PDB file of all heavy atoms in Angstrom:
ATOM      1  N   GLU A   1     315.244  23.460  38.110  1.00 75.00           N
ATOM      2  CA  GLU A   1     314.231  22.743  38.957  1.00 75.00           C
ATOM      3  C   GLU A   1     312.955  22.514  37.972  1.00 75.00           C
ATOM      4  O   GLU A   1     312.269  21.511  38.169  1.00 75.00           O
ATOM      5  CB  GLU A   1     313.881  23.696  39.989  1.00 75.00           C
ATOM      6  CG  GLU A   1     313.046  23.123  41.097  1.00 75.00           C
ATOM      7  CD  GLU A   1     312.865  24.013  42.310  1.00 75.00           C
ATOM      8  OE1 GLU A   1     313.884  24.536  42.760  1.00 75.00           O
ATOM      9  OE2 GLU A   1     311.763  24.254  42.660  1.00 75.00           O
ATOM     10  N   GLU A   2     312.633  23.451  37.102  1.00 74.00           N
ATOM     11  CA  GLU A   2     311.545  23.274  36.213  1.00 74.00           C
ATOM     12  C   GLU A   2     311.597  22.012  35.416  1.00 74.00           C
ATOM     13  O   GLU A   2     310.701  21.197  35.178  1.00 74.00           O
ATOM     14  CB  GLU A   2     311.295  24.579  35.333  1.00 74.00           C
ATOM     15  CG  GLU A   2     310.837  25.797  36.094  1.00 74.00           C
ATOM     16  CD  GLU A   2     310.828  26.997  35.225  1.00 74.00           C
ATOM     17  OE1 GLU A   2     310.966  26.848  33.957  1.00 74.00           O
ATOM     18  OE2 GLU A   2     310.646  28.076  35.700  1.00 74.00           O
ATOM     19  N   SER A   3     312.970  21.743  34.870  1.00 74.00           N
ATOM     20  CA  SER A   3     313.101  20.604  33.897  1.00 74.00           C
ATOM     21  C   SER A   3     312.927  19.348  34.735  1.00 74.00           C
ATOM     22  O   SER A   3     312.408  18.343  34.313  1.00 74.00           O
ATOM     23  CB  SER A   3     314.318  20.624  33.175  1.00 74.00           C
ATOM     24  OG  SER A   3     315.492  20.743  34.164  1.00 74.00           O
ATOM     25  N   ILE A   4     313.306  19.258  36.006  1.00 74.00           N
ATOM     26  CA  ILE A   4     313.338  18.134  36.730  1.00 74.00           C
ATOM     27  C   ILE A   4     311.833  17.895  37.220  1.00 74.00           C
ATOM     28  O   ILE A   4     311.473  16.683  36.969  1.00 74.00           O
ATOM     29  CB  ILE A   4     314.078  18.330  38.196  1.00 74.00           C
ATOM     30  CG1 ILE A   4     315.707  18.357  37.795  1.00 74.00           C
ATOM     31  CG2 ILE A   4     313.817  17.291  39.074  1.00 74.00           C
ATOM     32  CD1 ILE A   4     316.507  18.671  38.975  1.00 74.00           C
ATOM     33  N   VAL A   5     311.115  18.895  37.469  1.00 69.00           N
ATOM     34  CA  VAL A   5     309.662  18.626  37.673  1.00 69.00           C
ATOM     35  C   VAL A   5     308.902  18.159  36.544  1.00 69.00           C
ATOM     36  O   VAL A   5     308.235  17.365  36.608  1.00 69.00           O
ATOM     37  CB  VAL A   5     309.040  20.007  38.330  1.00 69.00           C
ATOM     38  CG1 VAL A   5     307.625  19.988  38.308  1.00 69.00           C
ATOM     39  CG2 VAL A   5     309.640  20.486  39.583  1.00 69.00           C
ATOM     40  N   THR A   6     309.252  18.657  35.365  1.00 74.00           N
ATOM     41  CA  THR A   6     308.610  18.319  34.087  1.00 74.00           C
ATOM     42  C   THR A   6     308.924  16.724  33.921  1.00 74.00           C
ATOM     43  O   THR A   6     307.989  16.123  33.498  1.00 74.00           O
ATOM     44  CB  THR A   6     309.156  19.128  32.915  1.00 74.00           C
ATOM     45  OG1 THR A   6     308.940  20.557  33.198  1.00 74.00           O
ATOM     46  CG2 THR A   6     308.521  18.855  31.631  1.00 74.00           C
ATOM     47  N   ILE A   7     310.194  16.330  34.040  1.00 71.00           N
ATOM     48  CA  ILE A   7     310.512  15.026  33.856  1.00 71.00           C
ATOM     49  C   ILE A   7     309.768  14.154  34.806  1.00 71.00           C
ATOM     50  O   ILE A   7     309.150  13.105  34.437  1.00 71.00           O
ATOM     51  CB  ILE A   7     312.077  14.904  33.922  1.00 71.00           C
ATOM     52  CG1 ILE A   7     312.759  15.545  32.811  1.00 71.00           C
ATOM     53  CG2 ILE A   7     312.465  13.374  33.959  1.00 71.00           C
ATOM     54  CD1 ILE A   7     314.281  15.589  32.921  1.00 71.00           C
ATOM     55  N   VAL A   8     309.742  14.545  36.001  1.00 69.00           N
ATOM     56  CA  VAL A   8     309.036  13.729  37.009  1.00 69.00           C
ATOM     57  C   VAL A   8     307.561  13.561  36.872  1.00 69.00           C
ATOM     58  O   VAL A   8     306.909  12.527  36.834  1.00 69.00           O
ATOM     59  CB  VAL A   8     309.364  14.355  38.554  1.00 69.00           C
ATOM     60  CG1 VAL A   8     308.384  13.621  39.501  1.00 69.00           C
ATOM     61  CG2 VAL A   8     310.794  14.195  38.903  1.00 69.00           C
ATOM     62  N   ILE A   9     306.904  14.677  36.296  1.00 70.00           N
ATOM     63  CA  ILE A   9     305.528  14.680  35.995  1.00 70.00           C
ATOM     64  C   ILE A   9     305.270  13.831  34.806  1.00 70.00           C
ATOM     65  O   ILE A   9     304.314  13.035  34.733  1.00 70.00           O
ATOM     66  CB  ILE A   9     305.003  16.128  35.753  1.00 70.00           C
ATOM     67  CG1 ILE A   9     304.983  16.895  37.094  1.00 70.00           C
ATOM     68  CG2 ILE A   9     303.691  16.103  35.171  1.00 70.00           C
ATOM     69  CD1 ILE A   9     304.554  18.283  37.079  1.00 70.00           C
ATOM     70  N   ALA A  10     306.221  13.845  33.857  1.00 70.00           N
ATOM     71  CA  ALA A  10     305.996  13.061  32.658  1.00 70.00           C
ATOM     72  C   ALA A  10     306.152  11.497  33.009  1.00 70.00           C
ATOM     73  O   ALA A  10     305.374  10.709  32.444  1.00 70.00           O
ATOM     74  CB  ALA A  10     307.056  13.460  31.609  1.00 70.00           C
ATOM     75  N   LEU A  11     307.093  11.222  33.841  1.00 64.00           N
ATOM     76  CA  LEU A  11     307.277   9.790  34.315  1.00 64.00           C
ATOM     77  C   LEU A  11     306.059   9.343  35.005  1.00 64.00           C
ATOM     78  O   LEU A  11     305.579   8.150  34.708  1.00 64.00           O
ATOM     79  CB  LEU A  11     308.488   9.557  35.007  1.00 64.00           C
ATOM     80  CG  LEU A  11     309.924   9.827  34.238  1.00 64.00           C
ATOM     81  CD1 LEU A  11     310.990   9.742  35.235  1.00 64.00           C
ATOM     82  CD2 LEU A  11     309.899   8.722  33.280  1.00 64.00           C
ATOM     83  N   ILE A  12     305.530  10.140  35.861  1.00 67.00           N
ATOM     84  CA  ILE A  12     304.380   9.746  36.711  1.00 67.00           C
ATOM     85  C   ILE A  12     303.147   9.546  35.784  1.00 67.00           C
ATOM     86  O   ILE A  12     302.479   8.727  35.913  1.00 67.00           O
ATOM     87  CB  ILE A  12     304.141  10.684  37.808  1.00 67.00           C
ATOM     88  CG1 ILE A  12     305.265  10.562  38.901  1.00 67.00           C
ATOM     89  CG2 ILE A  12     302.720  10.515  38.465  1.00 67.00           C
ATOM     90  CD1 ILE A  12     305.188  11.683  39.955  1.00 67.00           C
ATOM     91  N   GLY A  13     302.931  10.649  34.890  1.00 63.00           N
ATOM     92  CA  GLY A  13     301.890  10.505  34.038  1.00 63.00           C
ATOM     93  C   GLY A  13     301.918   9.490  32.999  1.00 63.00           C
ATOM     94  O   GLY A  13     300.921   8.767  32.733  1.00 63.00           O
ATOM     95  N   SER A  14     303.129   8.994  32.588  1.00 64.00           N
ATOM     96  CA  SER A  14     303.212   7.804  31.586  1.00 64.00           C
ATOM     97  C   SER A  14     302.878   6.582  32.365  1.00 64.00           C
ATOM     98  O   SER A  14     302.437   5.584  31.746  1.00 64.00           O
ATOM     99  CB  SER A  14     304.631   7.834  31.068  1.00 64.00           C
ATOM    100  OG  SER A  14     305.600   7.513  32.044  1.00 64.00           O
ATOM    101  N   ALA A  15     303.111   6.504  33.752  1.00 64.00           N
ATOM    102  CA  ALA A  15     302.772   5.259  34.381  1.00 64.00           C
ATOM    103  C   ALA A  15     301.262   5.278  34.938  1.00 64.00           C
ATOM    104  O   ALA A  15     300.634   4.336  34.926  1.00 64.00           O
ATOM    105  CB  ALA A  15     303.681   5.136  35.566  1.00 64.00           C
ATOM    106  N   ILE A  16     300.773   6.386  35.235  1.00 66.00           N
ATOM    107  CA  ILE A  16     299.492   6.565  36.005  1.00 66.00           C
ATOM    108  C   ILE A  16     298.200   6.623  34.927  1.00 66.00           C
ATOM    109  O   ILE A  16     297.378   6.024  35.094  1.00 66.00           O
ATOM    110  CB  ILE A  16     299.373   7.760  36.821  1.00 66.00           C
ATOM    111  CG1 ILE A  16     300.276   7.473  38.046  1.00 66.00           C
ATOM    112  CG2 ILE A  16     297.958   8.083  37.250  1.00 66.00           C
ATOM    113  CD1 ILE A  16     300.463   8.707  39.046  1.00 66.00           C
ATOM    114  N   ILE A  17     298.424   7.495  33.802  1.00 64.00           N
ATOM    115  CA  ILE A  17     297.552   7.731  32.905  1.00 64.00           C
ATOM    116  C   ILE A  17     296.968   6.426  32.107  1.00 64.00           C
ATOM    117  O   ILE A  17     295.775   6.052  32.151  1.00 64.00           O
ATOM    118  CB  ILE A  17     297.823   8.738  31.856  1.00 64.00           C
ATOM    119  CG1 ILE A  17     297.890  10.113  32.602  1.00 64.00           C
ATOM    120  CG2 ILE A  17     296.844   8.866  30.678  1.00 64.00           C
ATOM    121  CD1 ILE A  17     298.495  11.273  31.649  1.00 64.00           C
ATOM    122  N   PRO A  18     297.855   5.560  31.704  1.00 66.00           N
ATOM    123  CA  PRO A  18     297.405   4.313  31.093  1.00 66.00           C
ATOM    124  C   PRO A  18     296.660   3.483  32.017  1.00 66.00           C
ATOM    125  O   PRO A  18     295.679   2.787  31.727  1.00 66.00           O
ATOM    126  CB  PRO A  18     298.651   3.508  30.628  1.00 66.00           C
ATOM    127  CG  PRO A  18     299.521   4.714  30.407  1.00 66.00           C
ATOM    128  CD  PRO A  18     299.395   5.713  31.419  1.00 66.00           C
ATOM    129  N   SER A  19     297.169   3.274  33.366  1.00 68.00           N
ATOM    130  CA  SER A  19     296.333   2.560  34.318  1.00 68.00           C
ATOM    131  C   SER A  19     295.140   3.066  34.653  1.00 68.00           C
ATOM    132  O   SER A  19     294.090   2.321  34.899  1.00 68.00           O
ATOM    133  CB  SER A  19     297.325   2.322  35.558  1.00 68.00           C
ATOM    134  OG  SER A  19     297.456   3.654  36.275  1.00 68.00           O
ATOM    135  N   LEU A  20     294.921   4.477  34.722  1.00 63.00           N
ATOM    136  CA  LEU A  20     293.612   4.897  34.876  1.00 63.00           C
ATOM    137  C   LEU A  20     292.604   4.751  33.832  1.00 63.00           C
ATOM    138  O   LEU A  20     291.507   4.400  33.994  1.00 63.00           O
ATOM    139  CB  LEU A  20     293.794   6.555  35.123  1.00 63.00           C
ATOM    140  CG  LEU A  20     294.376   6.946  36.452  1.00 63.00           C
ATOM    141  CD1 LEU A  20     294.517   8.463  36.445  1.00 63.00           C
ATOM    142  CD2 LEU A  20     293.540   6.556  37.682  1.00 63.00           C
ATOM    143  N   ILE A  21     293.126   4.851  32.536  1.00 65.00           N
ATOM    144  CA  ILE A  21     292.334   4.641  31.361  1.00 65.00           C
ATOM    145  C   ILE A  21     291.914   3.217  31.451  1.00 65.00           C
ATOM    146  O   ILE A  21     290.624   2.925  31.206  1.00 65.00           O
ATOM    147  CB  ILE A  21     293.085   4.885  30.137  1.00 65.00           C
ATOM    148  CG1 ILE A  21     293.405   6.367  30.001  1.00 65.00           C
ATOM    149  CG2 ILE A  21     292.428   4.436  28.884  1.00 65.00           C
ATOM    150  CD1 ILE A  21     294.355   6.802  28.816  1.00 65.00           C
ATOM    151  N   ASN A  22     292.761   2.217  31.733  1.00 65.00           N
ATOM    152  CA  ASN A  22     292.448   0.836  31.746  1.00 65.00           C
ATOM    153  C   ASN A  22     291.384   0.580  32.863  1.00 65.00           C
ATOM    154  O   ASN A  22     290.625  -0.463  32.772  1.00 65.00           O
ATOM    155  CB  ASN A  22     293.702  -0.102  31.838  1.00 65.00           C
ATOM    156  CG  ASN A  22     294.464  -0.081  30.619  1.00 65.00           C
ATOM    157  OD1 ASN A  22     293.907   0.019  29.670  1.00 65.00           O
ATOM    158  ND2 ASN A  22     295.708  -0.391  30.738  1.00 65.00           N
ATOM    159  N   ARG A  23     291.501   1.274  34.028  1.00 67.00           N
ATOM    160  CA  ARG A  23     290.663   1.181  35.123  1.00 67.00           C
ATOM    161  C   ARG A  23     289.269   1.494  34.786  1.00 67.00           C
ATOM    162  O   ARG A  23     288.311   0.809  35.229  1.00 67.00           O
ATOM    163  CB  ARG A  23     291.265   1.950  36.316  1.00 67.00           C
ATOM    164  CG  ARG A  23     290.417   1.555  37.625  1.00 67.00           C
ATOM    165  CD  ARG A  23     291.142   2.157  38.793  1.00 67.00           C
ATOM    166  NE  ARG A  23     292.331   1.420  39.025  1.00 67.00           N
ATOM    167  CZ  ARG A  23     293.209   1.721  39.822  1.00 67.00           C
ATOM    168  NH1 ARG A  23     293.129   3.061  40.472  1.00 67.00           N
ATOM    169  NH2 ARG A  23     294.390   1.173  40.041  1.00 67.00           N
ATOM    170  N   PHE A  24     289.031   2.473  33.978  1.00 64.00           N
ATOM    171  CA  PHE A  24     287.775   3.074  33.672  1.00 64.00           C
ATOM    172  C   PHE A  24     287.226   2.393  32.344  1.00 64.00           C
ATOM    173  O   PHE A  24     286.005   2.664  31.985  1.00 64.00           O
ATOM    174  CB  PHE A  24     287.678   4.515  33.616  1.00 64.00           C
ATOM    175  CG  PHE A  24     288.045   5.169  34.918  1.00 64.00           C
ATOM    176  CD1 PHE A  24     289.240   5.845  35.138  1.00 64.00           C
ATOM    177  CD2 PHE A  24     287.105   4.967  35.895  1.00 64.00           C
ATOM    178  CE1 PHE A  24     289.360   6.286  36.528  1.00 64.00           C
ATOM    179  CE2 PHE A  24     287.361   5.543  37.249  1.00 64.00           C
ATOM    180  CZ  PHE A  24     288.507   6.341  37.373  1.00 64.00           C
TER     181      PHE A  24
END
């Protein structure tokens, strides 16, 4: 369960973080 959560967080982070950086 931990590895699945880690993968999901990494995928979400890789999509959200660049968009947040570009937004600001």
Side-chain angles (χ1 to χ4, degrees):
E1 192 174 309
E2 290 177 9
S3 61
I4 292 174
V5 169
T6 305
I7 292 172
V8 169
I9 291 175
L11 289 173
I12 292 172
S14 68
I16 293 176
I17 291 175
S19 67
L20 289 175
I21 290 172
N22 286 337
R23 190 171 287 167
F24 293 110

